[in-house]
Amino acid sequence: MTELNDSESVHGTSNLSASSVSSLAHFIDQVTMLCGPTQVQVGDAIEPRFLQPARYGAGRAAVMVRPGSSAEAAAVLALASRHGRRVVLQGAHTGLVRAATPMDGQDEVLLSTDRLREVFELDLLDRSLRVSAGFRLSEVNERLAAQGLWFPVDLSADPSIGGMLAHNTGGTRMLRYGDVRANTLGLQVALAESADPAGQVVRFGQGLQKDNSALALGQLFIGSSGSLGLITEATLKLSPLPRQRAVALVAPSALDAVFPLYQAVMQRWGVLVSAFEGISRAALEAGLHGQDLSRWFSGALPDYAMLIELSSELPAEQLDLRGLLQGWLEEAFESGAVSDAVLDADEAIWGLRHRISEGLRAQGKVIGLDLSLPRRHFMSFRERGQAWLAHFPQLRLADFGHLGDGGLHFNMVWPASAGALEPAQELTLRQGLYALVAELGGSISAEHGVGPQLQAAYRAHWAQVAPGVLDWSGRVQSVFDPNRRLGNTEWGA
Amino acid sequence: MTELNDSESVHGTSNLSASSVSSLAHFIDQVTMLCGPTQVQVGDAIEPRFLQPARYGAGRAAVMVRPGSSAEAAAVLALASRHGRRVVLQGAHTGLVRAATPMDGQDEVLLSTDRLREVFELDLLDRSLRVSAGFRLSEVNERLAAQGLWFPVDLSADPSIGGMLAHNTGGTRMLRYGDVRANTLGLQVALAESADPAGQVVRFGQGLQKDNSALALGQLFIGSSGSLGLITEATLKLSPLPRQRAVALVAPSALDAVFPLYQAVMQRWGVLVSAFEGISRAALEAGLHGQDLSRWFSGALPDYAMLIELSSELPAEQLDLRGLLQGWLEEAFESGAVSDAVLDADEAIWGLRHRISEGLRAQGKVIGLDLSLPRRHFMSFRERGQAWLAHFPQLRLADFGHLGDGGLHFNMVWPASAGALEPAQELTLRQGLYALVAELGGSISAEHGVGPQLQAAYRAHWAQVAPGVLDWSGRVQSVFDPNRRLGNTEWGA
């Protein structure tokens, strides 16, 4: 196919160990011939954005390659397989568990899906979109808006579609629309190993809404944290854009009023409820950072607040969502369950919600746990979690989360003024909280995935909760990636 | 554990070949000690209901066993594994692909989940139900109604929960609520092989709504047609019962008005649309069988009709669904897209819909294809399918289906008066239609699963459409059931 060349790479400098130089140079030459010299970066010449994740320290890779099509991506994997090289897959690099960040600069190939943008096929009658992995969520929704449609997995970040599938993101409106899994009708995968230089691409699911004519293998890749295979495209299920929304920020009279209010809202409005978020006072303060929105509340900031959103495809003339919400709030106020509430400020309320993470980062080092819990244990986890934090007096809890789906961003800030947080101390902190999650039947990763960041916690959690999960997961990973070339998550024991 | 006994079984008579007698007798003794003599039936003594499926001829099994708990079921599988026996899994035996019908009486063990009824744990705050596989759908929904909840996968049949998961049923309201997969939060599986006499039970998913802390192995068992493992219990996602429904039976002015009407309805009402069915004239006639409902239509029965249902958690005082539907129908009538319509007869309309299958069976032998298609090819499939049927002049097409999700029950009747339909002729008929499905990007099994009935068609379909699917499915099946002991579906090439 190409002339082989064993000479040292000229695409950049890198601190490679002597033993790996010649084979790496050979690989680089071949991958350069495949994707073109402008799409290959080597060692120290790799742009920082490919190495620096949104959270945690930068990684290092031997080489970064950006194939321009599914076929090219499959060929890169085949090449890596022939050369015995490990490949880390990266979308928009917005993930929070380092699953897309190469951790071992001596050895790893970084494959960016940035340029996988061949397919964007909208089927209006099926309300589905076949789309390449490299498109960003924001781009997809901008293009769909003109048709009155959207992909309703709604996030503060702007990931690639491939990254969203690999991590099965949930977001703020999951209560109404479900996670990525519930909105995916099929996907195409380039597999890890192939004897054919063209690689191996398989389509799992043909994009139909109803299909039981095969095993659900495609489901395995959704939420696999960039292991098992490279998702090169997906067929997404779209939803009609709502024609109206009504949003309220509501302070309960006491913490134990929160879930009864949640239950009342769900029983009353069901599918009209598109978000039900909980925000602690410390998180509220972080979200208000630099904004004078404290006028919203008649008194001081409440200890806890709920963000409640109703939405509908019907226009307000046919269904008065704002009126429904207001009527209910008045009742709840009179009954004493609610002490304060704000309506009529949708943009400002969501702005506050989406500024929390940034506001917390401004206060110091954020230790963010992305948990979910059975709702009956949600408040008890908060309480017992706070008790555990008493061992770390400098730490400040600023939790918020998706009460509606049981998700809890149990985020804590270690203030800059407290000096460095020792890794051993952070480990102790996390282990105590994860043990509590396991005890209460919760998840240590609600929507962020596993990756190197949670690798040890993953293993410890399942070894305790259900060891069979580790055993069978390792076996299934071995089917698709027997030599562990893809990604940096080990699913086995 | 028990005293072994190699003497011939006394639990019933059976026509076993001499070579398998002693080991079968041994197995029967052991399984009888495990589950008790009243829960084991042998050979000809097996009750017909366990052998006679809803469609197609009866099967035969060597022995039928009904374990009384998940633990007992796991032990039965372990015993079968030690004895090298194949096991067919059966729920309520309502499936339509013979996946739960033992086909080889010489050899197979039939495991009925009838008595798996240990767990029924409702979590009102999570709106979830942990339930044993043996419960029937109707029982589950009867128990839930008092709480204003239901499991919204709505079928004419009354399967067991385990059977619903094994076949990932869709039903008439899938458009609004999704299939079983979309409404399952976790499951527990007893696996095929185990060195431990107690067997091996693993829980995949803890019943949380948001969880990405493991590979999605549980998804593999959903829709596996009773292969890979025995689902002993599941955690189901429940929905609030709607407080109102409005149903119309609508005759379009022409066939090509159907999908524009569908699109208009979806864009206008979105998630309020809980059913959108299509019914051909022949199917209408079958559904009307013995009922004088022809008065509904002002003229003759239309060539095609649509069943449209809106539903909502809101009461009619807050949202007038009937008014919305009526207003839209008046517009559609004036615009000429609709020629006739009936409102205000919900029970009667659904009754008609659910009587179609029975009505067709009264006319002769039914050849039922459970297809789905991209909606843009739906009408073209109908047209070209009908053209193919011209080769079989005695056959009468009476199709109906779930236009809303692309599902099509392409059912045909071979009238009793036409004599027997030769198997070779039926095969030719089916092959022609399946080839058309493949060409148009459809599914040969939308919601019934695969099983022996579709085994050959499955292999032919994927060999043509995506051979990798066969290859990888076979490998995954080998992980969980290396010796092919469970069920009667082979997923490999």
Side-chain angles (χ1 to χ4, degrees), chain A residues 323-365:
Chain A
L324 290 182
L325 198 50
Q326 180 160 13
W328 175 76
L329 280 171
E330 281 162 12
E331 278 174 44
F333 199 82
E334 272 169 42
S335 78
V338 160
S339 64
D340 214 340
V342 189
L343 250 168
D344 285 329
D346 304 11
E347 295 285 315
I349 293 173
W350 276 116
L352 179 157
R353 167 67 181 77
H354 289 312
R355 268 195 315 276
I356 294 174
S357 293
E358 187 194 329
L360 293 179
R361 279 196 300 273
Q363 296 175 10
K365 178 183 159 73

Side-chain angles (χ1 to χ4, degrees), chain B residues 128-131 183-187 203 207 233-237:
Chain B
S128 69
L129 174 68
R130 201 182 137 207
V131 61
N183 291 280
T184 300
L185 302 173
L187 44 83
R203 185 179 297 278
E233 67 168 64
T235 305
L236 307 177
K237 180 178 161 187

Side-chain angles (χ1 to χ4, degrees), chain A residues 123 210-212 372 376 443, chain B residues 123 210-211 372 376 443 445:
Chain A
D123 185 326
K210 196 173 212 166
D211 185 11
N212 281 309
S372 84
R376 65 187 182 284
S443 165
Chain B
D123 185 326
K210 196 173 215 167
D211 185 11
S372 83
R376 67 189 181 282
S443 165
S445 187

